[in-house]
Amino acid sequence: MKKRELTSQQLIEAAILLFAQHGIEKTSLAMIAAEVGITKPSIYYHFASKDELVEKVFEYMFSDYHFGQYFPISDFNEQNFAEKLFQGGISMFPQDKENFYPVMRLLNEFMLTAGRGGHFGEAVVAMQQEFLEGFRQLLQHGAKLGVIEEENADSRAYVLALVVDNITSYMMMGVKLDYEKIWKEAVNATFRKGVDVIE
Amino acid sequence: MKKRELTSQQLIEAAILLFAQHGIEKTSLAMIAAEVGITKPSIYYHFASKDELVEKVFEYMFSDYHFGQYFPISDFNEQNFAEKLFQGGISMFPQDKENFYPVMRLLNEFMLTAGRGGHFGEAVVAMQQEFLEGFRQLLQHGAKLGVIEEENADSRAYVLALVVDNITSYMMMGVKLDYEKIWKEAVNATFRKGVDVIE
Amino acid sequence: MKKRELTSQQLIEAAILLFAQHGIEKTSLAMIAAEVGITKPSIYYHFASKDELVEKVFEYMFSDYHFGQYFPISDFNEQNFAEKLFQGGISMFPQDKENFYPVMRLLNEFMLTAGRGGHFGEAVVAMQQEFLEGFRQLLQHGAKLGVIEEENADSRAYVLALVVDNITSYMMMGVKLDYEKIWKEAVNATFRKGVDVIE
Amino acid sequence: MKKRELTSQQLIEAAILLFAQHGIEKTSLAMIAAEVGITKPSIYYHFASKDELVEKVFEYMFSDYHFGQYFPISDFNEQNFAEKLFQGGISMFPQDKENFYPVMRLLNEFMLTAGRGGHFGEAVVAMQQEFLEGFRQLLQHGAKLGVIEEENADSRAYVLALVVDNITSYMMMGVKLDYEKIWKEAVNATFRKGVDVIE
DNA sequence: AATGAATGAGGATTCATTCAT
DNA sequence: GATGAATGAATCCTCATTCAT
């Protein structure tokens, strides 16, 4: 890697950590520069503005955050469907809390801007929608395999999506719960057949 | 109402809107003052600092945000349990989007500070926990009434809590889904009996 | 005393203490009002401005700070001259440090403005000059009585004046010295006859 | 000198003048910046805060204000003792009033903070004490040389210290006196032998 | 005789950004 | 590739002061 790229990446990584710790707004370029060991104006050699840095941070963070990474749909069959669904969720939870929480917090901050017409909004929403759509297709796949009831499969998929997603949020906020058990229940519910109490 | 209280409340309400629109950090006292039609330093007659204003905004927003308001537990019986559970969730969704979304976005921003050791952290977490505990007790009540399977009742409760909570988030971000249907599925799942696929 | 006068005086006294503690500039009207238990704008009923209050404080403090109070010239005679001179100086030193030091510090602050063309300048200088002149006349009186050498009597007087004055300053700053002994030496020197080493 | 150092020093020198003219509190960073011809925030490139600037000003002003500079003790011998003592005092008086008075006034303001627990207090008191101790050792030296009476040598030293010091104050306040004559008298008195009127 | 509410002027400080070197 | 020096805009905040009540 050339020096330029190296420094750029160091800047991005320092920015991620600092943004996560103090928030994007409250993180000054001076702090980031200090972390990397260069001076504030030097950042401008790598990024045209703070906004561009933020953007690059966003891209860097979420470029490989995709549904298929956690739930490789083509690997799912009748035998392993439930288990792989369960494990896929578990794999989304932060293992390495030290590094993961800050990142999640930062994701959350990007989300905030979604509703504000901030320009990440669409990207974040797109990411959420990718996961919603991922779960939908996965359960449709399950329905075709006959392991999931066809009726309401989409709604069940969305419930799953909402649960995994929010589990990560709650973990991040420090709410103590047995998340594995909760996720297990959500997965199990996906396979249950039965009457609807509410129409 | 005295003039002081009136202005104070106007300030709080203006602050809520502006905080929600631009974020707390990016909302300056000047903006708030302008919105209310007074001058910037006049704010200091009502609040000792921006921090105090933020605090008061927080209190004002969430002082009457309680589980019992949406799910009055003592009203739930065998006959109405499912229906009231469903309706309770619906009542939590923003009706009046114009006013509700900003408020939710602001809640989200307060949440962000939860993980950062910000001083609202505890309060926000406490709120979340109140809802988790509310759902737990509600389903325990349902178990006693015999409408809910006793086993895993707690996990089912938490799934419900995570779903309602996240539905509001997604609405806020502008993700278009048939939320009523999703919530209906989540509620129905709560009452289903059946085998667990995953142990 | 009428209520008006009472409050005015309370304000002045509170101001003296606070000015002495924090400096005139750093003492806000709010602090003074709080000390007296009224509100800030109420001060304007008693004084037209902060400047006027400062002025009245000045007058109040130094209205009875006169040479004759410490050195009643007509009481001095051949027998008691040295002793009374010595005692007069001692009586100028702060007995009640708790109350005196702040007041002296404030005097010092007023003095600062003397050189700045501040409008107390003249008054402070006048005060200093009154003491200089007081000592001068006192020693002239002593010369007439024959207890002091006529030659250089004025210079000796001024030395005395400078010493007493500065002793108070040093006490105030917290410099620890045996001031009584120093003053005694200064007084004794005043009566010594002898050759001049320097012409 | 590098540009940074140059500007820093210009800032310090401008600050000294302005602090002396208007007082530290009443001198704004804007005034200082304007004097030097840079903008207000640029000051922060050189000093972390106004407080730090004040501190540096203090250090700059008094780093070479030492007793030995005026009274090089090892140069004093039987022959020249009185004369050098006299001349040393004279050399402490402001020659170049234009530049010296402001500086003295500023010293005075620093002194004010001495009693207020301000953080320069100790430094100022230490300076005063250096001069007191300097005079004490000088007269002890004189006593050993036999030109000064051993008895009361310390008190005589302190009287001298108080006189020089206060002469500068009085000059600064604009009190018109024949200071040279007064100082001559003080010096002469130091050498006089004779009885004590007061015990 | 005093207060409640508000204001205008000004102050320190922060920060993204620029540009010559 | 990076820095030193500086800037303009904005922000929070303080305070003496006003005035209707």
Side-chain angles (χ1 to χ4, degrees):
Chain A
M1 199 187 303
K2 280 181 192 153
K3 191 159 190 198
R4 174 174 196 153
E5 284 170 31
L6 178 65
T7 308
S8 294
Q9 198 175 326
Q10 285 178 332
L11 282 169
I12 288 176
E13 276 159 13
I16 289 178
L17 274 172
L18 290 166
F19 285 169
Q21 269 170 53
H22 311 106
I24 295 174
E25 194 71 19
K26 286 212 157 186
T27 302
S28 74
L29 293 187
M31 290 161 77
I32 298 169
E35 189 75 16
V36 172
I38 61 175
T39 60
K40 191 167 41 158
S42 304
I43 295 182
Y44 287 85
Y45 182 77
H46 301 273
F47 306 98
S49 66
K50 187 182 184 183
D51 278 358
E52 191 185 302
L53 171 57
V54 172
E55 185 126 354
K56 291 289 192 270
V57 160
F58 182 81
E59 284 167 18
Y60 180 89
M61 279 176 69
F62 303 112
S63 55
D64 53 353
Y65 181 65
H66 291 295
F67 184 78
Q69 218 191 328
Y70 304 100
F71 302 93
I73 209 160
S74 51
D75 293 3
F76 282 61
N77 58 37
E78 290 105 319
Q79 274 71 47
N80 68 9
F81 203 96
E83 185 60 25
K84 281 196 88 66
L85 185 53
F86 177 64
Q87 288 304 337
I90 297 294
S91 74
M92 287 187 71
F93 301 164
Q95 331 296 146
D96 169 10
K97 298 181 178 188
E98 220 57 16
N99 287 326
F100 201 87
Y101 279 20
V103 171
M104 287 312 296
R105 224 168 283 140
L106 185 46
L107 168 60
N108 236 332
E109 186 166 356
F110 279 124
M111 264 188 236
L112 268 188
T113 71
R116 274 181 207 136
H119 128 276
F120 304 107
E122 300 152 32
V124 172
V125 169
M127 272 175 40
Q128 306 278 31
Q129 245 145 0
E130 186 197 324
F131 272 82
L132 287 164
E133 180 61 12
F135 274 108
R136 204 187 63 77
Q137 285 182 10
L138 186 57
L139 289 216
Q140 286 298 341
H141 180 56
K144 260 170 220 141
L145 295 175
V147 295
I148 302 266
E149 269 200 344
E150 205 143 346
E151 208 183 346
N152 285 332
D154 286 3
S155 292
R156 290 181 186 216
Y158 296 149
V159 167
L160 278 181
L162 291 165
V163 170
V164 213
D165 183 46
N166 219 10
I167 280 179
T168 337
S169 294
Y170 275 55
M171 287 176 119
M172 188 190 79
M173 277 187 291
V175 178
K176 302 272 178 227
L177 285 175
D178 186 343
Y179 292 108
E180 209 173 303
K181 201 170 164 195
I182 297 171
W183 176 238
K184 192 180 289 174
E185 168 57 27
V187 170
N188 275 325
T190 310
F191 295 93
R192 281 193 203 111
K193 296 167 189 194
V195 267
D196 285 354
V197 196
I198 313 272
E199 274 322 297
Chain B
M1 200 188 304
K2 279 180 191 155
K3 190 159 192 200
R4 175 175 205 148
E5 284 170 30
L6 178 66
T7 308
S8 292
Q9 198 175 326
Q10 285 176 335
L11 284 169
I12 286 175
E13 276 158 13
I16 289 177
L17 274 172
L18 291 164
F19 285 168
Q21 268 169 54
H22 311 105
I24 296 175
E25 195 71 17
K26 285 214 156 186
T27 303
S28 76
L29 293 187
M31 292 161 77
I32 299 170
E35 189 74 18
V36 172
I38 63 176
T39 60
K40 189 167 43 158
S42 303
I43 295 182
Y44 288 85
Y45 181 73
H46 300 273
F47 305 98
S49 64
K50 188 181 181 183
D51 277 0
E52 192 185 300
L53 172 56
V54 172
E55 186 125 354
K56 291 287 193 276
V57 160
F58 182 81
E59 285 168 17
Y60 180 88
M61 281 176 67
F62 302 112
S63 55
D64 53 353
Y65 181 64
H66 291 294
F67 183 78
Q69 220 190 325
Y70 304 100
F71 302 93
I73 209 163
S74 51
D75 295 3
F76 283 62
N77 57 38
E78 290 104 320
Q79 275 71 47
N80 69 7
F81 202 96
E83 184 59 26
K84 283 197 87 68
L85 186 53
F86 177 65
Q87 289 303 337
I90 298 295
S91 74
M92 284 187 72
F93 300 163
Q95 330 299 145
D96 168 11
K97 297 180 181 190
E98 220 56 18
N99 286 328
F100 202 87
Y101 279 17
V103 170
M104 287 314 295
R105 224 167 284 139
L106 186 46
L107 169 60
N108 237 332
E109 186 167 356
F110 279 125
M111 261 187 239
L112 266 189
T113 71
R116 275 184 208 132
H119 132 275
F120 303 109
E122 299 154 31
V124 172
V125 169
M127 272 175 43
Q128 305 280 30
Q129 246 146 359
E130 187 196 323
F131 273 82
L132 287 165
E133 180 61 13
F135 274 108
R136 204 186 63 77
Q137 285 182 9
L138 186 56
L139 290 215
Q140 286 298 341
H141 181 55
K144 259 173 218 134
L145 295 175
V147 295
I148 302 265
E149 270 201 343
E150 203 142 346
E151 210 182 347
N152 285 333
D154 286 2
S155 291
R156 292 181 184 216
Y158 296 148
V159 167
L160 279 180
L162 290 165
V163 170
V164 214
D165 183 45
N166 218 11
I167 281 179
T168 337
S169 294
Y170 275 55
M171 290 176 115
M172 188 188 80
M173 278 187 291
V175 179
K176 302 274 179 225
L177 285 174
D178 186 343
Y179 292 109
E180 207 171 304
K181 201 168 165 198
I182 297 171
W183 175 239
K184 191 180 291 174
E185 168 56 26
V187 169
N188 274 327
T190 309
F191 294 93
R192 281 194 202 111
K193 292 164 195 195
V195 265
D196 286 353
V197 194
I198 312 272
E199 276 320 299
Chain C
M1 201 188 304
K2 279 183 192 152
K3 192 161 190 197
R4 175 174 197 154
E5 284 170 30
L6 178 65
T7 307
S8 294
Q9 197 176 329
Q10 284 176 332
L11 283 169
I12 287 175
E13 276 160 12
I16 290 177
L17 273 170
L18 290 164
F19 285 169
Q21 268 169 55
H22 311 107
I24 296 175
E25 194 71 18
K26 286 213 156 185
T27 302
S28 74
L29 292 187
M31 290 162 77
I32 299 170
E35 189 75 17
V36 171
I38 62 175
T39 60
K40 191 167 42 159
S42 304
I43 294 181
Y44 287 83
Y45 182 78
H46 300 273
F47 306 97
S49 67
K50 189 183 182 181
D51 278 359
E52 190 184 304
L53 171 56
V54 172
E55 185 127 355
K56 292 288 194 269
V57 159
F58 182 81
E59 285 168 15
Y60 181 88
M61 279 177 70
F62 303 111
S63 55
D64 54 353
Y65 181 65
H66 290 295
F67 183 79
Q69 217 189 326
Y70 304 99
F71 302 93
I73 210 160
S74 51
D75 294 3
F76 283 61
N77 57 38
E78 291 103 321
Q79 274 71 46
N80 68 10
F81 202 96
E83 185 60 26
K84 283 197 87 68
L85 185 53
F86 177 64
Q87 289 303 337
I90 297 294
S91 74
M92 285 187 73
F93 300 164
Q95 329 300 146
D96 168 12
K97 297 179 180 191
E98 220 57 16
N99 286 327
F100 201 86
Y101 279 18
V103 170
M104 286 314 295
R105 225 168 282 139
L106 186 45
L107 168 61
N108 235 332
E109 186 167 356
F110 279 124
M111 263 187 236
L112 267 188
T113 71
R116 275 182 207 133
H119 129 275
F120 304 108
E122 299 153 34
V124 172
V125 169
M127 271 175 43
Q128 306 278 30
Q129 246 145 1
E130 186 197 325
F131 272 82
L132 288 164
E133 179 61 13
F135 274 107
R136 205 187 62 77
Q137 285 183 10
L138 185 56
L139 290 215
Q140 286 298 341
H141 181 56
K144 261 170 219 138
L145 295 175
V147 294
I148 302 266
E149 271 201 342
E150 203 143 344
E151 207 183 348
N152 284 331
D154 287 2
S155 292
R156 292 181 184 215
Y158 297 149
V159 167
L160 279 181
L162 290 166
V163 170
V164 211
D165 184 45
N166 220 9
I167 281 180
T168 337
S169 295
Y170 275 54
M171 288 176 118
M172 188 190 81
M173 278 187 290
V175 179
K176 303 271 179 229
L177 285 176
D178 186 342
Y179 292 108
E180 208 172 304
K181 201 168 162 195
I182 298 171
W183 175 239
K184 191 180 292 176
E185 169 57 28
V187 169
N188 274 327
T190 309
F191 295 93
R192 281 192 203 111
K193 293 164 191 192
V195 266
D196 286 354
V197 195
I198 314 273
E199 274 324 295
Chain D
M1 201 188 306
K2 279 181 190 153
K3 191 159 191 201
R4 177 177 204 146
E5 284 170 30
L6 178 65
T7 308
S8 291
Q9 197 175 327
Q10 285 177 334
L11 283 168
I12 287 176
E13 276 159 13
I16 290 177
L17 273 171
L18 291 165
F19 285 169
Q21 268 169 56
H22 312 105
I24 295 174
E25 195 72 18
K26 286 216 156 184
T27 302
S28 76
L29 293 187
M31 292 161 76
I32 298 169
E35 190 73 18
V36 172
I38 61 175
T39 60
K40 186 167 48 157
S42 302
I43 294 182
Y44 287 84
Y45 181 73
H46 301 272
F47 306 97
S49 64
K50 188 181 182 184
D51 276 1
E52 191 185 301
L53 172 57
V54 172
E55 186 125 353
K56 291 289 192 275
V57 160
F58 182 81
E59 284 168 17
Y60 181 89
M61 281 176 67
F62 302 111
S63 55
D64 55 352
Y65 181 65
H66 291 293
F67 183 78
Q69 220 190 325
Y70 304 100
F71 301 92
I73 209 162
S74 51
D75 293 4
F76 283 61
N77 57 39
E78 290 106 322
Q79 274 71 47
N80 68 10
F81 203 97
E83 185 58 27
K84 282 197 88 70
L85 185 54
F86 177 65
Q87 288 304 337
I90 297 295
S91 74
M92 286 187 72
F93 301 164
Q95 333 294 148
D96 168 11
K97 297 182 180 188
E98 220 57 17
N99 286 326
F100 201 88
Y101 279 19
V103 170
M104 288 313 296
R105 225 168 281 137
L106 186 45
L107 167 61
N108 237 332
E109 185 165 358
F110 279 123
M111 261 188 240
L112 266 188
T113 71
R116 275 181 206 134
H119 130 275
F120 303 107
E122 299 154 33
V124 171
V125 169
M127 273 176 39
Q128 306 278 29
Q129 247 146 359
E130 188 197 324
F131 273 82
L132 288 165
E133 179 62 13
F135 274 109
R136 203 186 63 77
Q137 285 181 10
L138 186 57
L139 290 215
Q140 286 297 341
H141 180 58
K144 260 170 220 140
L145 296 175
V147 295
I148 302 266
E149 270 201 344
E150 204 143 345
E151 210 183 348
N152 285 330
D154 287 3
S155 292
R156 290 181 185 214
Y158 297 148
V159 167
L160 278 180
L162 289 166
V163 170
V164 214
D165 183 48
N166 219 11
I167 281 179
T168 338
S169 295
Y170 275 56
M171 287 175 117
M172 186 190 81
M173 279 186 291
V175 178
K176 304 272 181 224
L177 285 175
D178 185 342
Y179 293 108
E180 208 171 304
K181 199 170 166 196
I182 297 171
W183 175 239
K184 191 180 291 175
E185 168 56 27
V187 169
N188 275 326
T190 310
F191 295 92
R192 279 190 203 113
K193 294 166 192 191
V195 267
D196 287 354
V197 196
I198 312 273
E199 272 323 296

